[in-house]
């Protein structure tokens, strides 16, 4: 089981590398890694398990965050209608996105970043993501609101991009044109 000790922190070189594609079909090792990512995210949202193991709550996790430079992400989050969006994906890719933007009104955080970094992180309001699930099926997911933001955040990790790279350095809370705030 992954714990906070397994998560590399900001400044670790793996977080700035572009992760490698996972060869399909995935090896047992890659499958076990992806399973551990989704398990962490689920466990971190269970108050009892999180407290017992000192897990910081998370809604997404990417393989580079556990020092594995491969294209794998796990997301476990509710959408605006309280539907659970839960995916563990190999080689996820954003295949289309909206022109409209959005951002988390409270700003973004990251399990690999211990301090709070204030500011708006511009994201696409809607994205379509394609990837391969743990059963080897290709999935195509249309997302908006918080789930769309989470997928973009995690896919950024696969490209060596941190959320704060998107924040306006001069005015972190500058208005983002054509953007809708998303409440968490």
């Amino acid at each position: 089981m992954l714990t906070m000790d397994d998560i590399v922190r900001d400044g670790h070189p793996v977080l700035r590398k572009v992760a490698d594609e996972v060869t399909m079909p995935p090896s047992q090792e890659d499958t076990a890694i992806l399973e551990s990512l989704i398990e962490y995210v689920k466990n971190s949202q269970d108050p009892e398990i999180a407290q017992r193991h000192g897990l910081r709550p998370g809604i997404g996790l990417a393989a580079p965050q556990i020092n594995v430079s491969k294209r794998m992400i796990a997301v476990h989050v509710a959408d605006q209608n309280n539907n659970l969006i839960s995916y563990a994906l190999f080689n996820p890719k954003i295949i289309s996105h909206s022109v409209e933007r959005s951002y988390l009104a409270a700003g973004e955080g990251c399990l690999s970043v211990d301090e709070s970094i204030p500011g708006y992180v511009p994201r696409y309001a809607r994205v379509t993501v394609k990837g391969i699930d743990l059963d080897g099926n290709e999935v195509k997911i249309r997302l908006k609101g918080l789930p769309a933001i989470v997928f973009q955040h995690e896919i950024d990790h696969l490209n060596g991009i941190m959320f704060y790279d998107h924040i306006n350095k001069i005015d972190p809370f500058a208005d983002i044109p054509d953007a809708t705030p998303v409440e968490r």
Side-chain angles (χ1 to χ4, degrees), residues 6 8 12-23 29-30 33-34 37 62-73 89-92 154-161:
D6 298 301
V8 298
H12 192 291
V14 74
L15 294 173
R16 290 300 185 174
K17 283 177 63 178
V18 174
D20 296 326
E21 287 270 317
V22 177
T23 307
E29 182 188 7
D30 286 342
I33 289 167
L34 185 53
L37 294 176
Q65 292 180 270
I66 60 164
N67 199 18
V68 175
S69 191
K70 291 189 174 181
R71 301 186 82 78
M72 296 184 254
I73 65 167
L89 296 177
F90 294 107
N91 303 325
E154 298 313 327
I155 290 170
D156 269 358
H157 275 304
L158 305 181
N159 295 315
I161 298 166

Side-chain angles (χ1 to χ4, degrees), residues 125-146:
R126 293 180 310 282
V127 293
T128 301
V129 173
K130 206 157 87 171
I132 309 288
D133 69 13
L134 280 163
D135 297 323
N137 302 313
E138 184 175 271
V139 293
K140 193 164 138 183
I141 320 153
R142 293 175 55 90
L143 302 153
K144 64 180 184 181
L146 181 59

Side-chain angles (χ1 to χ4, degrees), residues 20-139:
D20 296 326
E21 287 270 317
V22 177
T23 307
M24 290 293 130
S27 67
Q28 282 183 309
E29 182 188 7
D30 286 342
T31 299
I33 289 167
L34 185 53
E35 286 170 344
S36 72
L37 294 176
I38 193 73
E39 179 190 48
Y40 177 93
V41 181
K42 289 177 179 177
N43 285 343
S44 78
Q45 293 178 33
D46 179 313
E48 191 184 302
I49 295 172
Q51 185 176 11
R52 190 169 352 121
H53 296 285
L55 307 180
R56 262 179 51 205
I59 50 181
L61 190 61
Q65 292 180 270
I66 60 164
N67 199 18
V68 175
S69 191
K70 291 189 174 181
R71 301 186 82 78
M72 296 184 254
I73 65 167
V75 173
H76 189 76
V77 65
D79 69 9
Q80 64 278 6
N81 300 320
N82 222 19
N83 297 314
L84 185 62
I85 308 292
S86 187
Y87 287 95
L89 296 177
F90 294 107
N91 303 325
K93 233 185 223 82
I94 295 171
I95 57 169
S96 67
H97 61 78
S98 62
V99 173
E100 301 84 32
R101 310 288 268 185
S102 68
Y103 60 91
L104 271 183
E108 290 185 24
C110 180
L111 292 169
S112 292
V113 179
D114 290 328
E115 71 278 8
S116 173
I117 300 179
Y120 296 145
V121 179
R123 300 285 187 189
Y124 298 114
R126 293 180 310 282
V127 293
T128 301
V129 173
K130 206 157 87 171
I132 309 288
D133 69 13
L134 280 163
D135 297 323
N137 302 313
E138 184 175 271
V139 293

